[in-house]
Structures are given as C-alpha cells and as structure tokens.
Amino acid sequence: MRLTSLLRKRRADIMASNSGIVPDDGESSKNPTLERCLNVLRDASNDSEQFAALLLVTKAAKAGEINSKTRRRIFDAVGFTFPNRLLTSKDAPEGCTQHTFQALGLTLLACFCTDPDLARHPQVLNKIPVFNDVISTCKPGDASCNAMIDDAYQCLRAIMATPKGPRELVNRGTVPALCRAYVKHGYGFDQAFKLLVGLLIAAEAKCWQRATVDLMGVLNVLSLEFQKAEDMTKFQLCEVLPRFIPPLLSPNAECLLPLYRGLASILTSKLSTSQRDPALKLAACLSQACGSEWIQGGGAGSKFFALLSNLACVEVRLTLEELDLAEVDKKQELMAACYVLMETAIVECTKEKGSLLLETQKVQLVGILEEAFGAVIHYLRQVGRKKLDDPFIFASVRILGAWLAEETSSLKQEICDLLPFLIYYAKMRFEEEKRVRSSLQQEAEQAGQSSIQPPVWQGDAIRFLLPGLSHLTAEDRPRGILISEGAPVLLCQYFLYRWEIFVSNTDTLTTSTTVETSLQTCCEIFLNLVVTAPDLISREDCFATLMDTLLKSLPSLLPQREHLGLTANVATLGLMMSKRLFAYPGLQGTPESEGFFDAAIRFLAEAHVAQTDLDGEKVTMSVSPTYKAAWPAIRELWFLGMQAFASCVPLFLWLPQDVLRSGWLQELLALLGRVAPSSVDLEVVRAFQGILVELARASQPCLEMIQQHRGLEMASLYGMAALEQCLSEQ
C-alpha cells in the first residue's frame, strides 16, 4: 500500500476512533487526537504504520507545545530504534521531499531532548556528529531544510545544558561545525553564534585546543564586522569579542588590524561609560594575547596607546582613591582589565628598542602610572587586611609586583609603609597553597593514586613580588623592614618548597619555566642578603637548611644544560654562603660538600675554551659553546662565583687538593699558555688571577704545579701583578 494512502487511512481511523483512553496528564486530556496517536504508535505492527502515526504525532503537537510528561510518553511509545533508522535512511517516500525521513527523525530527537534525562542519553550523544553535519552542510532554502536545521540546533542546545554536555560537544566536533555554520552566514547562523559563545564560556581551553583554525576564522569575520559597524552592533560585538580572543595571538594575525581600527574609532570618540568599558576590556584581552603588537606602529598608534593607557590609569585612580567598596566590587572586572593595560604600558615604557612610544611619551606615561599605583597602594593599605580572600586584592598585589619589578625609586615611602602588609599577604597565600597541596596529596594517597599537581600555583603572590623584592633587598631601609617582617625566612621556606616541585617535575614536559624563574630570583635576593646582611645568614637556621639543599642539588643540576641559568645561581649562591657559614658542620669535608665543590669547579672551569681562528694562525680564548646562549644572563654570576671560590680556598683546607684532583688547575694553566694573551678579557684575567693566587698561598702542591707551568712568565705576560708577586716571594 502506498505510504500516503496508508497515512490517510490511519488518520481516518484515529479521528473516527471512539475508544476511551485515560490520559496520563493534563496536556493529553486537552488533546484527544494526540492520545489516540500514542495508542496507534504503541500498537503499530510495521514501519509504515509507525511512520504514519509519527507524522500524526508531530502534526498533533509540536515539541514546544506539550509538557515533559507527554514528551516522555512519546519517547516510551517510540524509543530510539525507529528514529535511528529514520536518520540513516537514504530513500524518501513517494510524494515526499528528499529528507522526509531524516527530518522526522530530527524532530523526534528534538522533542526527546527537551527532557534533560534524554538529552544526556548515549543514544542522543552519539547523534552529535549527525547534528553537526546538518547545521554545517544542509542547504537551506525550503521550509523542510530550515526545520531540520532548527531541530538540530535544539538538540545541541539541550545537550549543552546538561552537566557533561559541553565536553561531549567539544570532543565530538561541534565547535568546527558551528564555526563553519557561522562563517557561511546561512540559515540559523545566529543560533550557531550563541552556542559558540556558550561553549567558549564552559570550555574555552578545550575549544581552542581542538578547533584553533576554525575559531580564528570566526574571529576574522567578527573583527571585520566590528570594524565596519557604525551602529549599536559595534558595541554589541565589543561585548562578545573577548570570548573569541585566543590565549595567544600571532602579531601577524588577520584579525588584529580591523580590531585595532574598530577600537580606535570607539575610544577616540565621546562615549558613555557603558560604551567605553567594554572597549577597555576588549583591549585588555588583546594585550594579554599579544602584548602591544595589535596596535599599529607610527604616530597614530603611539597616540592611541598613550590614550588607552591613560584611560586605564585614570579609571584605576578614580575607582580606588574613593574607597567606595561597593563600587570597587561592582567594577572588579573592569579594574582587572585596566591592570592588564597598565602592565602592558610598563612593558612598553621599559623597552629600549622597538617601543610604540617616544621618549617624551614614556616620561609622561610613567608619571601617570605612578599616580595610578599610588591609588593601588592606598587601596591595599586601607582595605587589604579586611579582604584577604578577595581575588581583587590578589590582582592588585600582582600588578604592584609588576611595577616594583621595574620601578622602586618612586613612591618609596608609600612602598615601605606597605611592605608589612605585602609580606603578611604573601605568607598567607603561601600557607594556603601548602594546605591545599597537602590535602590533595592525602586524598590521592587514600585513593591509591599518585597526586599530579600543576607546578605553578595560580594564587602564588610571592612569585609576582620576587623581582621587586630583589631590588628592595639591595636598599638599606626597605631591606631593614623586610628583615624585621620575616621576609628572608619566608623566602627560604618558599625556595625550598618550590625546589621540591621543580625537582619532581624535572623529567616531565609539565615543568614550568615559571618555577625555575622564581628559584633564580630567590637566589638573587639571597645573594643580596649574603652581601648586605651577612649576620642574618649565620643567625637564621633556615639558611643552614638552604645550604644543605644547595650542596645536595648542584651535582645533579649541573649536567642539565637547559637549566644553566639556575645552575649558575645555585653554584654562586652556594659559594657565597660557604664563605659566611664556613664553620657549619655540613661544610666540613662531608660527601655533600665535596660533591658541591666538585660541581662548582666544573661549572667555573667549563666556561672558557681555546678557539683557533678561521685561518688557523691564532688561538684565542672564547666562551664555551655550551655556555654561549646563556652567557649574557650568567656572566656576572660566573665572575662572582670565581671571587667566592677564591675566598673559600683558604677557609677549607681540603679544597686545594680537590682542585688538583679535578684537573682544573692544570687545565687553566694549559689554557692560559695556549691562547694569545691579548684575546683574554681583562676581567677574566683578574678572575683567573684570584684563583691562582689563593691556591698558590694555600697549597704547596698547587704552588709547584703553577711553577711547573711557567707561572711566573705567564703572570708577566697577562699582567697578573698579584700572582707575580706571590710567586716571587716563594
């Protein structure tokens, strides 16, 4: 029997039926035709009868016009098997459109998906690729295709509303499909856009990881629309565009120029705050993604950047100086954006080359920044201890750390007054980190699992303050305040804790350079304290613990050339502390101390090599190839390490013998004898002389070794007056 004939017969049967059926809910009681259709569905003996009844169900009640109980009854009558077959059918009934079966299957699923339990059912989730295909490839134009697209979007929205829905959609390729649908601007593209925004809110990192190219395509389209818009659309796009800015953007990204032009047209116009604030937030997102690279160079670009920075600084001043806490709370998102723009301004002001700004603009901007940071300090002093757990306090401490890393000469009194709070806050955040990590570790152990924790802690306030503390510990007054507030002890504890995290992640890709940078900056601070407050090193027990860690760690760290910067810091700090703690039992010829000094010798010895020039006539001294890349960063540490090692020679009677056993003395003398004296930098000559003089004075075997290698003649050739005098006296 032809399907259309069967459909007419079934419709007549249903409409004529007088069978009394007790409805299960109020919706069905209002719709007796629907009730009779459900009976037919339950009693259908073949596909044709079920299909005819389904058509009547969809005509009797659309998914949005019936309640959840009735939708569930439709599902109970139909199940998933028949809709699955409809979706995969390639044929169409006689007299019907090509996609009739698929359209009906989608309508049923859209109806089912309004029930949250069904929306997360595996039989619905495995249809996600079908929905993706419909929205991205179905050619709109007639009502049936448009209805299919609407049903597919309804299913996707229902899935996304479930707890695990966003993850399922991202994993099953919905993001690229939505991007294609939006870029084509076909029927339903506005629905694609809303779903994309929702997915980016729910799973931003996963979205960018799985669909970078597709999302960039959407961003390119949006950026052009943003640039061209001359009505409220421009401000609406300004609100939503930050969702489409990736974590990192190439300076050559296609979207940057139209975004810059669009923002420039907004921020150079007279605006209400409701129009200006989203523009500042978008500018901050771009600055986070690519610094100031999104701003065009030249006069117009420098003026725009100065304007943008000025707007951010003024907003911070106006908001924080008033100390209206309710207003600050309301504006926290805007304040965070202004902080990002201020940090970008700091970076731009400190660039020696390639800055957007002229020198006069830099001077003006530094003055404006100083006023803004005065407001930040004022806010922290007045409010900080009352709102320790407020994320905005952390953001304020973080941005202040960025300022202190570059500028400690201005606002000196205000900074000194704030130091007690900063140390208290940093300690509180550090203690919280230790508690949380310990709790996670215990939970993992109880579950019989290994605890995999990120090496970088997002609430680490000390990390952001370290560069500023490095500057401040070099100055008398701030250093005195920091010592009285217990900062050195806190930093020792922090270093030791971070060191354990660094060591545990050394062999994995998750090791963060951020942790390594923090360790290096801690070493710089400790070096300042060793030089300026030597009594503190001897007085505080934590420095003995730090010394033990340095002694044990350098031998294993030295072979890891990718960590040469950290190696230089550990070696130099260990040598400098050994001078102050020479009576410490851990340094009295223990295996750890000998291992440390052996590693320190290798670090110092391997820095320079002899090199023959291209024509093979002249041998010169040069930095070792393995040190060359890191040399600008570690050069001063090497010189300081050489001085410290020379100072240690007379303090540790066993050290000259270790030098001889390592072969360093012989290698050094051979190197000096081989290269042209004119090729050796004067500072290097002085560093070598310091070592040779102390070894000659402290050890007869070392003296004899120097003499055997024409030491007196070499001292004369290199202008080593102190070595020449020492050898002459012998």
Side-chain angles (χ1 to χ4, degrees):
M1 183 184 291
R2 288 179 57 183
L3 186 60
T4 51
S5 300
L6 177 63
L7 177 56
R8 282 195 294 271
K9 182 178 184 303
R10 276 298 178 193
R11 183 184 295 118
D13 291 343
I14 292 169
M15 301 303 285
S17 173
N18 292 317
S19 57
I21 298 172
V22 179
D24 288 348
D25 54 65
E27 180 68 37
S28 295
S29 66
K30 297 174 187 176
N31 197 335
T33 303
L34 173 62
E35 199 62 37
R36 288 192 288 272
C37 290
L38 290 174
N39 278 343
V40 173
L41 276 174
R42 281 191 291 268
D43 298 336
S45 59
N46 56 50
D47 285 354
S48 295
E49 291 184 1
Q50 197 169 29
F51 179 71
L54 282 173
L55 285 178
L56 291 172
V57 167
T58 58
K59 287 177 181 292
K62 293 295 184 182
E65 298 170 356
I66 56 178
N67 62 25
S68 59
K69 278 188 176 182
T70 306
R71 284 193 292 270
R72 188 70 190 210
R73 290 181 64 212
I74 295 173
F75 169 72
D76 291 338
V78 178
F80 280 117
T81 303
F82 192 62
N84 289 347
R85 290 166 60 190
L86 288 171
L87 286 173
T88 57
S89 176
K90 301 295 183 184
D91 300 321
E94 186 178 344
C96 298
T97 60
Q98 180 184 356
H99 302 292
T100 298
F101 286 141
Q102 292 93 330
L104 181 57
L106 281 170
T107 299
L108 282 170
L109 288 176
C111 176
F112 297 163
C113 281
T114 54
D115 183 330
D117 289 334
L118 294 179
R120 56 173 170 260
H121 194 285
Q123 288 278 11
V124 171
L125 297 179
N126 65 25
K127 302 299 181 301
I128 290 175
V130 176
F131 307 145
N132 296 342
D133 189 56
V134 169
I135 65 170
S136 59
T137 63
C138 190
K139 294 180 180 179
D142 58 56
S144 62
C145 282
N146 291 353
M148 287 176 66
I149 293 171
D150 284 335
D151 286 337
Y153 278 123
Q154 183 170 325
C155 293
L156 292 172
R157 282 195 299 273
I159 293 169
M160 191 168 77
T162 63
K164 296 181 180 179
R167 185 182 68 186
E168 293 289 344
L169 292 173
V170 173
N171 290 342
R172 295 174 191 251
T174 299
V175 176
L178 292 170
C179 290
R180 289 193 294 272
Y182 181 78
V183 169
K184 286 197 306 184
H185 263 48
Y187 179 81
F189 78 94
D190 53 332
Q191 298 181 71
F193 185 73
K194 290 175 182 176
L195 277 166
L196 271 175
V197 172
L199 285 174
L200 285 167
I201 292 171
E204 180 183 11
K206 281 271 188 184
C207 288
W208 280 106
Q209 183 182 353
R210 299 228 172 203
T212 304
V213 174
D214 301 281
L215 284 168
M216 285 302 298
V218 173
L219 178 58
N220 291 338
V221 172
L222 289 173
S223 63
L224 286 172
E225 292 174 358
F226 176 60
Q227 178 187 346
K228 293 174 182 177
E230 296 295 340
D231 54 12
M232 288 305 296
T233 305
K234 199 179 201 75
F235 300 105
Q236 292 165 358
L237 284 170
C238 209
E239 294 268 9
V240 77
L241 268 166
R243 293 290 176 196
F244 290 86
I245 305 297
L248 292 174
L249 263 175
S250 164
N252 301 317
E254 182 183 329
C255 62
L256 292 183
L257 183 57
L259 287 172
Y260 160 70
R261 288 174 175 169
L263 278 172
S265 70
I266 290 177
L267 292 172
T268 53
S269 305
K270 291 183 178 180
L271 302 168
S272 65
T273 55
S274 63
Q275 294 171 325
R276 183 205 60 192
D277 293 353
L280 290 175
K281 293 174 187 177
L282 176 56
C285 285
L286 289 168
S287 297
Q288 278 187 311
C290 60
S292 61
E293 300 288 341
W294 62 277
I295 297 173
Q296 263 192 317
S302 65
K303 288 179 181 177
F304 172 73
F305 183 79
L307 169 66
L308 183 64
S309 304
N310 187 61
L311 287 172
C313 291
V314 169
E315 186 62 43
V316 167
R317 279 191 61 195
L318 291 176
T319 304
L320 299 186
E321 284 181 349
E322 295 299 321
L323 284 181
D324 183 338
L325 299 188
E327 184 70 10
V328 173
D329 289 343
K330 190 169 67 175
K331 287 187 169 185
Q332 283 195 8
E333 188 180 351
L334 175 62
M335 288 292 97
C338 290
Y339 282 174
V340 171
L341 296 172
M342 286 167 62
E343 188 168 359
T344 307
I346 292 170
V347 171
E348 207 61 33
C349 285
T350 54
K351 278 184 183 177
E352 293 183 4
K353 294 181 180 179
S355 174
L356 281 169
L357 302 171
L358 301 172
E359 288 303 315
T360 53
Q361 290 174 313
K362 288 182 180 181
V363 172
Q364 291 172 348
L365 185 51
V366 167
I368 296 167
L369 283 165
E370 184 177 330
E371 293 174 350
F373 279 107
V376 174
I377 293 170
H378 175 67
Y379 176 77
L380 287 174
R381 284 196 67 194
Q382 299 300 319
V383 179
R385 289 183 185 265
K386 302 173 188 174
K387 305 184 74 174
L388 291 170
D389 295 325
D390 188 340
F392 184 63
I393 296 296
F394 181 83
S396 299
V397 170
R398 183 188 182 282
I399 188 63
L400 183 59
W403 172 255
L404 293 176
E406 304 295 343
E407 177 59 69
T408 57
S409 60
S410 62
L411 300 171
K412 187 164 290 187
Q413 180 62 49
E414 292 85 348
I415 291 167
C416 286
D417 291 341
L418 187 65
L419 282 177
F421 166 75
L422 292 178
I423 299 305
Y424 175 81
Y425 182 77
K427 183 177 181 180
M428 185 209 73
R429 300 294 300 184
F430 180 47
E431 294 298 330
E432 180 186 0
E433 174 186 355
K434 291 195 290 185
R435 282 195 303 272
V436 172
R437 285 189 186 271
S438 176
S439 176
L440 291 173
Q441 182 70 35
Q442 289 175 6
E443 290 175 8
E445 290 173 358
Q446 289 171 1
Q449 301 171 343
S450 59
S451 176
I452 302 174
Q453 299 185 30
V456 179
W457 182 257
Q458 296 304 315
D460 183 4
I462 295 177
R463 172 164 71 97
F464 297 110
L465 291 172
L466 284 174
L469 293 176
S470 179
H471 297 318
L472 292 169
T473 49
E475 302 176 27
D476 293 340
R477 185 163 175 245
R479 181 175 61 251
I481 296 171
L482 290 169
I483 291 173
S484 67
E485 295 296 328
V489 176
L490 173 62
L491 292 176
C492 262
Q493 295 169 349
Y494 177 83
F495 178 92
L496 296 171
Y497 193 77
R498 282 285 172 274
W499 185 263
E500 290 302 316
I501 294 173
F502 172 77
V503 171
S504 66
N505 285 277
T506 295
D507 297 326
T508 72
L509 294 174
T510 57
T511 301
S512 172
T513 55
T514 303
V515 177
E516 186 171 354
T517 301
S518 294
L519 291 170
Q520 291 187 47
T521 312
C522 282
C523 289
E524 294 172 11
I525 294 171
F526 296 143
L527 283 170
N528 285 343
L529 294 173
V530 169
V531 173
T532 59
D535 292 344
L536 178 73
I537 307 301
S538 307
R539 187 172 69 245
E540 294 288 355
D541 293 340
C542 63
F543 285 101
T545 307
L546 174 61
M547 186 78 247
D548 286 338
T549 299
L550 299 177
L551 295 179
K552 294 173 186 174
S553 302
L554 185 61
S556 60
L557 184 63
L558 182 67
Q560 302 175 46
R561 292 305 191 189
E562 67 274 19
H563 301 303
L564 189 56
L566 182 58
T567 299
N569 276 279
V570 169
T572 304
L573 177 60
L575 291 169
M576 291 290 288
M577 287 181 64
S578 297
K579 287 168 52 180
R580 303 298 178 189
L581 299 175
F582 66 91
Y584 175 58
L587 286 166
Q588 304 310 308
T590 61
E592 290 78 12
S593 63
E594 291 190 3
F596 169 83
F597 276 97
D598 285 345
I601 287 169
R602 293 206 308 279
F603 165 69
L604 297 172
E606 293 171 3
H608 294 87
V609 294
Q611 185 175 35
T612 306
D613 61 13
L614 293 176
D615 53 16
E617 294 183 359
K618 187 177 181 182
V619 180
T620 60
M621 184 180 291
S622 65
V623 175
S624 168
T626 55
Y627 281 59
K628 192 156 287 185
W631 191 246
I634 69 171
R635 181 179 182 274
E636 294 303 321
L637 288 169
W638 184 84
F639 284 114
L640 188 58
M642 290 287 283
Q643 294 174 19
F645 189 93
S647 300
C648 288
V649 169
L651 299 176
F652 302 102
L653 300 180
W654 45 268
L655 190 52
Q657 187 60 40
D658 274 14
V659 173
L660 283 173
R661 190 176 65 249
S662 71
W664 183 27
L665 180 57
Q666 300 92 310
E667 292 168 6
L668 174 55
L669 293 168
L671 178 64
L672 290 172
R674 186 181 174 199
V675 303
S678 59
S679 71
V680 185
D681 186 83
L682 186 58
E683 280 187 280
V684 176
V685 170
R686 283 199 289 263
F688 286 154
Q689 176 179 235
I691 297 287
L692 293 172
V693 167
E694 293 300 337
L695 288 172
R697 288 174 176 168
S699 165
Q700 185 64 30
C702 287
L703 174 63
E704 292 172 359
M705 176 69 68
I706 294 170
Q707 290 172 334
Q708 289 168 12
H709 282 75
R710 302 182 296 113
L712 198 59
E713 179 185 344
M714 201 175 299
S716 177
L717 278 172
Y718 282 92
M720 297 181 179
L723 178 61
E724 193 171 2
Q725 181 179 351
C726 175
L727 295 176
S728 299
E729 291 172 354
Q730 303 301 321

